[in-house]
Amino acid sequence: MKAARLTQYGPPSGISVVDLDDPEPGPGEVLVRVHAAAVNYPDVLIAANQYQVSAPLPFTPGSEFAGVIAALGPGVSGPPVGSPVAGAVLSGAFAEKVVLPATALRPVPEGLDMVHAAAFHVTYATAYHALVTIGRGEPGEWVTVLGAAGGVGTATVDVATRLGMRVLAAASGHDRLAIARKLGAEAGIDYAGEDLKSRMRELTGGEGAHLVIDPVGGSYSEAALRGLRRGGRFVTVGYADGEIPRIPLNLVLLKDAVVRGFEIRMLRQYARDAVAEGDRVLAELVREGMRPFVSRVHPLADIATVLTDVAERRVTGKVVLSMTDE
Ligand SMILES: NC(=O)c1ccc[n+]([C@@H]2O[C@H](COP(=O)([O-])OP(=O)(O)OC[C@H]3O[C@@H](n4cnc5c(N)ncnc54)[C@H](OP(=O)(O)O)[C@@H]3O)[C@@H](O)[C@H]2O)c1
């Protein structure tokens, strides 16, 4: 099979596409023929060995995919060969075949094709739980979404709008803000040129946002926290900026604010009821027509360029690699 491969940690330019033997599913595992794999910012961090968990060298990057079951390992009774499935792994998805534990498989929501199914689970589950399970967002509340044209950002704008929240999208530049506006954001803040805190106050009638969802970090986080209203909630989701912000704690005291964070893989372990409810709500929204915003589809051969674009802030929404000609 064709597979992306890294023999040393570093920038995406070090990734090549090679021929490897097909992997074999062990006990409790399944082999999936990958049709499409979505690119996520953490794939850049894993390639550079800057993620919370290391992938041992050499390895095939890629964490999110959709495809069909090609074989079942010993002790696995289903889903049957040929069933459409999606899944998330630490590595291995940027390949024509991937092996993973059967328990890590996710269903393909009814109505999604392989490209959109590959781009769905990580960002939409992250968006839902940031907004609802952790952020306690309610219909009618103002939510500021940072990085609103990115993968997590577009999903968060989409889900928040569909759940009746009022979205202030924050991103760099008018073209990126236009994407968030199309997904339902009521207003946009160009945080590359405008003052985030004052614009959040102005656009919410002087009081500030009820909730901030922050997948970006850096200097934007403190400005967004300052733009919260009294009793507001701030959810830290990620640090695409590269800098983990250090925020004066007195801001939390003065605002009577709540600051929370979560990691989606861990949340799946400790909050099973909330995860089941999230899956139910998201499946319903997909039935109503919700689709991830896929801005580009590339062949596997483009992997190094695509990941470089993600690392250098040049992509919007989701970029997907297609392993088939369909
Ligand atoms: N907590 C969790 O469970 C969880 C789950 C999924 C992802 N994450 C994290 O969330 C973050 C965002 O992931 P994503 O997939 O949405 O990434 P993405 O699609 O690349 O979007 C990140 C956004 O951040 C903004 N940004 C600001 N400074 C940047 C920089 N120096 N380099 C790159 N982007 C920059 C960009 O928007 P502008 O140019 O408009 O500012 C970009 O659209 C990552 O840190 C990821 O690890 C966390």
Side-chain angles (χ1 to χ4, degrees):
M1 66 167 185
K2 297 261 181 254
R5 207 70 178 157
L6 262 173
T7 53
Q8 55 183 14
Y9 298 118
S13 54
I15 302 175
S16 50
V17 175
V18 299
D19 285 308
L20 293 179
D21 292 340
D22 284 1
E24 292 211 359
E29 293 181 333
V30 294
L31 176 70
V32 174
R33 170 156 157 55
V34 178
H35 285 223
V39 176
N40 286 284
Y41 194 86
D43 298 324
V44 176
L45 300 176
I46 293 166
N49 203 21
Q50 288 169 358
Y51 196 58
Q52 292 99 317
V53 190
S54 282
L57 291 168
F59 73 98
T60 293
S63 50
E64 193 180 20
F65 65 89
V68 296
I69 298 280
L72 304 176
V76 181
S77 55
V81 169
S83 306
V85 290
V89 287
L90 179 68
S91 61
F94 296 154
E96 290 173 332
K97 303 221 174 97
V98 64
V99 156
L100 73 159
T103 51
L105 290 173
R106 315 276 305 148
V108 171
E110 200 185 312
L112 290 191
D113 60 22
M114 286 290 171
V115 164
H116 289 88
F120 183 69
H121 282 289
V122 171
T123 47
Y124 273 76
T126 301
Y128 174 86
H129 293 294
L131 288 163
V132 179
T133 310
I134 306 296
R136 304 279 168 205
E138 295 285 345
E141 287 192 327
W142 282 108
V143 182
T144 298
V145 180
L146 306 189
V152 171
T154 48
T156 305
V157 173
D158 195 7
V159 173
T161 304
R162 288 171 188 273
L163 295 181
M165 299 171 208
R166 305 183 70 182
V167 175
L168 292 182
S172 62
H174 289 290
D175 292 352
R176 299 173 78 79
L177 286 171
I179 290 167
R181 294 296 295 272
K182 269 200 187 142
L183 289 167
E186 274 186 50
I189 304 171
D190 178 358
Y191 54 27
E194 294 183 286
D195 183 77
L196 183 56
K197 174 188 114 179
S198 357
R199 290 293 288 147
M200 280 171 66
R201 296 247 178 99
E202 277 163 29
L203 291 164
T204 55
E207 289 202 66
H210 296 87
L211 176 61
V212 168
I213 307 296
D214 177 11
V216 180
S219 60
Y220 303 122
S221 301
E222 183 173 331
L225 179 63
R226 288 179 185 273
L228 269 185
R229 67 180 56 199
R230 182 170 307 284
R233 290 97 61 205
F234 182 104
V235 181
T236 175
V237 176
Y239 312 101
D241 173 84
E243 186 199 323
I244 298 175
R246 287 174 171 68
I247 291 178
L249 213 47
N250 67 317
L251 292 179
V252 177
L253 179 152
L254 290 170
K255 282 194 175 286
D256 196 4
V258 173
V259 178
R260 289 192 67 183
F262 75 107
E263 208 281 317
I264 191 67
R265 286 171 310 151
M266 281 156 68
L267 183 124
R268 285 193 192 287
Q269 307 299 318
Y270 69 73
R272 288 173 193 261
D273 288 351
V275 168
E277 176 61 7
D279 288 351
R280 189 193 65 73
V281 172
L282 291 173
E284 180 61 34
L285 294 175
V286 168
R287 272 193 290 280
E288 289 171 11
M290 183 173 79
R291 299 286 180 270
F293 172 63
V294 175
S295 58
R296 287 157 50 180
V297 179
H298 286 258
L300 178 61
D302 290 353
I303 177 63
T305 319
V306 164
L307 269 189
T308 302
D309 285 349
V310 171
E312 296 181 358
R313 211 173 174 175
R314 284 195 292 267
V315 310
T316 54
K318 297 291 294 181
V319 180
V320 174
L321 300 169
S322 174
M323 316 298 169
T324 68
D325 297 330
E326 297 152 33

